Amino acid sequence: MKLKLIFCLCMLPLLCLAQESQPQQFSNRYGMKMTRNDDGSYALLYAKKYAKFIDVNTIPDVMVPYTYQADRLKSKDYKGVTTKDIVYKKHKDPKIRNYHPIHD
């Protein structure tokens, strides 16, 4: 047990160094993986694979990293919403319920 603990503690710095040496990856809005170049621009990781089935130069914003913006649903959209469960079939086992959720 102590040997496993010592081994794990010795491997921890090596794993941290290996993680740090990998280039940081980004994704664009189409899910394509990118890396940042030294000059600040971006390059597609699998550009040759993408070029086999699509012309990446015709896609808008293909070299722009995607950042999530919570603009679709907000907490005020859920204000006043209640959920009701209506049981439409009962079983002998009370743990099993078939229900249809209805949203007002």
Side-chain angles (χ1 to χ4, degrees), residues 2 26 35 40 51 63 67 69 73 78 81 91-92 94 96 101:
K2 289 183 182 181
F26 301 92
T35 57
M63 294 296 181
T67 54
Q69 296 175 358
L73 293 175
Y78 295 107
V81 175
H91 295 276
K92 293 178 184 177
I96 299 174

Side-chain angles (χ1 to χ4, degrees), residues 33-84:
K33 300 293 181 193
M34 304 182 306
T35 57
R36 185 182 299 209
N37 297 332
D38 294 334
D39 61 352
S41 64
Y42 294 94
L44 292 173
L45 277 180
Y46 307 110
K48 290 181 183 178
K49 289 183 181 180
Y50 298 139
K52 288 181 182 179
F53 60 90
I54 194 166
D55 183 14
V56 294
N57 296 328
T58 60
I59 302 173
D61 298 332
V62 74
M63 294 296 181
V64 177
Y66 175 75
T67 54
Y68 174 73
Q69 296 175 358
D71 60 349
R72 296 186 181 185
L73 293 175
K74 306 214 183 300
S75 61
K76 68 178 181 178
D77 295 332
Y78 295 107
K79 186 176 182 181
V81 175
T82 57
T83 302
K84 296 180 183 177

